Amino acid sequence: MAAVTPLIATSGLKKHFGGLRAVDGVDFSVMPGEVRAVIGPNGAGKTTFVSLICGRIEPTAGTISFDGSDITKLPAHRRVRAGIAYTFQITSVFSNLSAYDNVALAVQRTLTDGRAVGHLREGVMAALSATGLADRLHEIAGSLSYGHQRLLEVAMGLALKPRLLILDEPTQGLSDGEIENFVALVREVAREATVLIIEHNMPVVMALADRITVLDAGKVLAEGAPDEIRADAAVQAAYLGAGA
Amino acid sequence: MSGESSPAKHYGLHAALIALLAVLAFLLPEYHHGVFARVMVLAVFAMGYNLLFGYAGLLSLGHAMFFSAGLYGAGLTMVHLGWGVLPAFAAGLVAGALLSLAIGFLALRTTGVAFMIVTMMFAQVFYLALFYFGSWTRGDEGLVIAQGQRRLSFAGVDLDLTSPVTRYFAALALFSLVLVVTLAVVRSRFGRVLVAIRENEERTRMLGFDAFANKLAATVLSGVICAAAGAAYAILFGYVGATFASIQYSILPLLWVLLGGAATTLGPLVGTLLMFYLIDSSGDLLKAWLPGWNLSSLGIVGVALVLLILFFPKGILGTVRERWVRWLP
Ligand SMILES: Nc1ncnc2c1ncn2[C@@H]1O[C@H](COP(=O)(O)OP(=O)(O)OP(=O)(O)O)[C@@H](O)[C@H]1O
Ligand SMILES: [Mg+2]
C-alpha cells in the first residue's frame, strides 16, 4: 500500500451505452495535490469517465473511491458536498439568472455545509474576480459571450471550494489572452486542490499537467509525465499525430 | 434578483397591500366586500400553487386534492365529530401535509408531462373517493356546517365567523400570513434553490443540492398552504362539496397564477381577483354585445386567457417586473 492514499481512484470502471463501451475497464488514480490531464480523441470516453467520478451517471461496473472511501453508490449531490466539483463541457449555467446569482448558489452550498465561512457576497466576488468576471456580476448569464459563460462555469466550480476540481475542456471558446489567465488561475487553484482537466489544447496541457492519462476507445492507452507522453508512439498514432 | 436584496422595499410593499385590503373592508359595498373575502381565501390557494408551479417549476394538475384535503379535513371533523374551528382547521392542515407528502413522494419520480398526468390521476382518485365515502361526504350535494359551529372563542373573545366583517378580517389574516410566509420563502436560500431547480435541475444537483428533497419540501409546503385555503373556505363559507375536488379546481389556480404572473408573490391575488370579476361580468357583457350568441362565460375566460398567454406570457405582474419594476419579488 502506498504511503499516501490517492484522492480519487477507480478500479475496473465501465460504462456501456447499449453495445457501446464508452468507458471500458479503467483503473486510475490521482494523488492529492496533483494536476492530472486526461486527453484523447473525440469520443474516447473522457466526459463519460469524469461523469462517473462526479456521479452524474452510474457505472455499469467497477468502483470509485474518494480519499480512501468508496463513493460508487453515493448520489452526485453528496459527492459535491464531499468536495468533488465538476464543470460541464457543454456549458450549463443558469441562463436566466445573473452571473452573481449563479455563483451565489455555489457559495450558499459551501456555507450551508460549513466548508466555507464568511459572507455570501465575499465568496461570490472572490470567485468572480478570480475568473475575471467581477465587472459583469449583474449581467444575465445567458447574455454573456460563450467564453465568459465557460468562465462562469469555472467560477461556480471554484466557489464550491472543491478538493477535486474536474474541468471538462474549460478553454474551449476562450481567446488567447483568456487562456493565459486561465492557466495562471488553475496553477493558483492547484495549490489547494487537486485538479483533473480534460483538454484538447496541448500547450495548456503541457503547461499545467503533472501527469497525463491518455484515453482511447474507453481504455487507458498511456499514462505518464508530459515528456513521456509526448514521446509515446502509440499516443502519437492515436491522438497527437491527428490533432496537434 | 440581481444579488442585491431589498428587504425594506419588499416587505414595505407587501405591508402596504395588506393595509389597503384592511381599509377596503370599510369602503367596499356589500357585494364586493363578500367577493373580496372569498377571493382572499382563493388567493391563498393560488399562492400555494404558485410556490410549486411558479418558483419550483413543477406544473401540477392535481392541486384540487390539496385544497380539498383541507376543506374536508376541517369540514368532516366539524360536521361528524363536532370539532371547534381551531382543531378543525388544524385537522385540515394535517390532512394536506400528509397527502402532499405521500403524493410528492410518488409523483416527484416523474417530470414534465408525466408529472402533470400523475398528479391529475391522483386528484381524480381523491375525487372519486369522495363519492365512494358518500355516506360521510354526501358527494356532490356536500355538507353544510352549522352556523353555530362557525365561531372562534379564545381568551374571552368570541368571534362569529359568519358575520361579513369578521369573515373578511379572518380571510385577510390568513391571506396576510401566507403572503408574508411566501415572501420570506422566496427570499430565503430554500427559495433560491427552488428557482435554480426550475432553471436547470442538473446544474443545481451538481452544485450539491438534493433536488428531490427540495422539490418534496416545496410540494408539502404548497400542499399545506392550499389545504389552509380549503380549511378556511369550509369554516368561513360553511359549505363542503365534491365540486371543489374536481379537475376544474386543479386548473383554476393554474389560470389565476398565469394571469397574475407566475413566480411573483403578488400575482396570485391579482390573478384570482381579476378572474373572478372577469367571469362575474362576462355574462352581462356577452348578453349586451353579442345578443343571441349564447356564449358561456367560461368561453370568454378561455379566449381571454389565450390572448393573455399570447401577448403577456409572463402574466400581469411578470410583465410589470420585466418592463418597469425590476425589484418586484
Ligand atoms: N448518454 C449517452 N448515451 C449514449 N451514448 C453516449 C452517451 N454519452 C456518451 N455517449 C457515447 O460515448 C462515447 C464517449 O463519449 P464522451 O462524451 O465520453 O467522449 P469524449 O472523450 O468526452 O469526447 P469529446 O472529446 O468529443 O468531448 C461517444 O461515442 C458518445 O457518443
Ligand atoms: Mg467530452
Side-chain angles (χ1 to χ4, degrees):
Chain A
M1 204 182 158
V4 186
T5 333
L7 185 67
I8 190 82
T10 71
S11 146
L13 198 61
K14 291 184 182 170
K15 180 67 190 184
H16 297 173
F17 294 111
L20 178 79
R21 296 163 176 225
V23 173
D24 195 14
V26 173
D27 299 316
F28 172 90
S29 67
V30 179
M31 287 300 164
E34 212 183 307
V35 176
R36 172 70 62 94
V38 175
I39 65 172
N42 291 111
K46 306 179 296 293
T47 296
T48 309
F49 176 63
V50 295
S51 297
L52 292 169
I53 291 179
C54 69
R56 270 179 73 212
I57 55 177
E58 286 179 19
T60 310
T63 59
I64 308 163
S65 65
F66 182 65
D67 200 13
S69 51
D70 190 334
I71 58 163
T72 317
K73 291 271 165 340
L74 210 62
H77 66 267
R78 297 274 301 279
R79 297 189 201 191
V80 177
R81 292 181 203 176
I84 301 179
Y86 173 72
T87 67
F88 288 72
Q89 172 175 9
I90 297 167
T91 308
S92 175
V93 294
F94 301 101
S95 353
N96 293 323
L97 304 185
S98 66
Y100 181 98
D101 286 345
N102 268 266
V103 180
L105 281 156
V107 177
Q108 171 180 330
R109 184 69 250 165
T110 56
L111 290 173
T112 307
D113 294 345
R115 286 187 294 121
V117 287
H119 291 289
L120 187 75
R121 192 175 180 85
E122 286 164 19
V124 177
M125 291 319 292
L128 286 175
S129 305
T131 45
L133 293 173
D135 53 346
R136 300 182 184 274
L137 76 166
H138 293 302
E139 281 182 42
I140 297 300
S143 66
L144 292 170
S145 71
Y146 181 73
H148 286 137
Q149 291 191 29
R150 299 292 310 152
L151 290 172
L152 186 58
E153 274 280 340
V154 176
M156 282 194 271
L158 292 180
L160 284 172
K161 299 256 178 280
R163 295 174 67 197
L164 174 66
L165 177 61
I166 303 173
L167 300 161
D168 196 346
E169 300 199 17
T171 66
Q172 214 177 51
L174 297 194
S175 69
D176 288 348
E178 285 168 334
I179 290 181
E180 218 167 281
N181 290 339
F182 178 79
V183 169
L185 172 62
V186 174
R187 286 216 178 96
E188 187 67 31
V189 173
R191 284 152 51 148
E192 285 170 23
T194 307
V195 178
L196 185 56
I197 179 170
I198 298 177
E199 190 51 75
H200 277 300
N201 182 328
M202 286 316 286
V204 171
V205 171
M206 293 302 166
L208 285 173
D210 298 317
R211 289 174 70 76
I212 298 175
T213 301
V214 186
L215 278 187
D216 187 27
K219 289 190 161 75
V220 176
L221 182 68
E223 192 171 292
D227 289 343
E228 295 164 26
I229 295 300
R230 217 192 318 239
D232 193 306
V235 174
Q236 304 229 333
Y239 184 53
L240 295 177
Chain B
M1 287 214 307
S2 211
E4 255 57 54
S5 54
S6 27
K9 267 190 202 167
H10 284 177
Y11 283 100
L13 173 72
H14 290 68
L17 174 78
I18 292 166
L20 174 70
L21 287 169
V23 172
L24 282 177
F26 304 103
L27 302 179
L28 287 172
E30 193 183 320
Y31 172 71
H32 298 283
H33 190 272
V35 168
F36 267 64
R38 203 172 291 261
V39 162
M40 282 190 285
V41 173
L42 293 178
V44 170
F45 184 16
M47 285 192 278
Y49 189 82
N50 187 33
L51 209 57
L52 197 64
F53 168 65
Y55 290 96
L58 289 163
L59 201 163
S60 146
L61 285 182
H63 262 51
M65 70 180 142
F66 301 136
F67 182 80
S68 302
L71 190 82
Y72 280 94
L76 291 178
T77 50
M78 287 179 90
V79 170
H80 294 298
L81 305 175
W83 286 15
V85 161
L86 284 181
F89 187 74
L93 295 190
V94 170
L98 294 178
L99 184 67
S100 54
L101 185 67
I103 299 293
F105 198 77
L106 298 170
L108 287 171
R109 285 153 205 285
T110 64
T111 52
V113 177
F115 183 76
M116 290 158 61
I117 294 172
V118 169
T119 46
M120 193 167 83
M121 295 310 279
F122 277 121
Q124 197 61 19
V125 170
F126 186 97
Y127 178 64
L128 294 175
L130 291 176
F131 291 90
Y132 184 81
F133 296 105
S135 50
W136 287 294
T137 65
R138 291 225 233 106
D140 263 338
E141 190 188 327
L143 303 163
V144 173
I145 301 169
Q147 288 233 344
Q149 258 188 298
R150 291 157 56 201
R151 311 183 74 87
L152 186 53
S153 318
F154 62 93
V157 200
D158 188 40
L159 298 174
D160 177 7
L161 295 175
T162 62
S163 105
V165 174
T166 318
R167 181 159 71 187
Y168 186 99
F169 279 100
L172 178 59
L174 178 67
F175 171 82
S176 308
L177 177 70
V178 172
L179 183 67
V180 171
V181 166
T182 307
L183 179 61
V185 166
V186 166
R187 292 173 47 86
S188 72
R189 288 184 175 182
F190 171 55
R192 286 197 292 265
V193 174
L194 293 186
V195 170
I197 290 173
R198 179 190 76 199
E199 293 292 320
N200 188 341
E201 181 165 339
E202 182 175 34
R203 217 328 157 198
T204 311
R205 196 176 300 122
M206 295 313 295
L207 288 177
F209 295 98
D210 186 340
F212 182 81
N214 279 284
K215 289 197 285 188
L216 186 60
T219 307
V220 173
L221 188 59
S222 169
V224 169
I225 290 175
C226 294
Y233 200 95
I235 293 164
L236 297 179
F237 301 103
Y239 171 72
V240 170
T243 336
F244 292 110
S246 67
I247 178 81
Q248 187 191 345
Y249 276 83
S250 285
I251 292 173
L252 277 173
L254 171 63
L255 298 187
W256 294 330
V257 168
L258 279 175
L259 178 60
T264 63
T265 49
L266 300 175
L269 176 71
V270 172
T272 312
L273 193 65
L274 224 67
M275 183 80 85
F276 193 97
Y277 280 108
L278 199 63
I279 295 180
D280 208 35
S281 60
S282 61
D284 295 341
L285 286 178
L286 281 177
K287 257 182 227 138
W289 290 6
L290 303 169
W293 279 48
N294 213 4
L295 286 171
S296 81
S297 54
L298 272 174
I300 206 100
V301 169
V303 172
L305 268 160
V306 171
L307 293 178
L308 230 134
I309 306 283
L310 282 178
F311 296 105
F312 294 93
K314 306 206 155 159
I316 295 167
L317 290 186
T319 307
V320 168
R321 170 163 67 194
E322 194 177 53
R323 305 218 178 137
W324 301 291
V325 194
R326 295 299 297 271
W327 57 269
L328 212 62

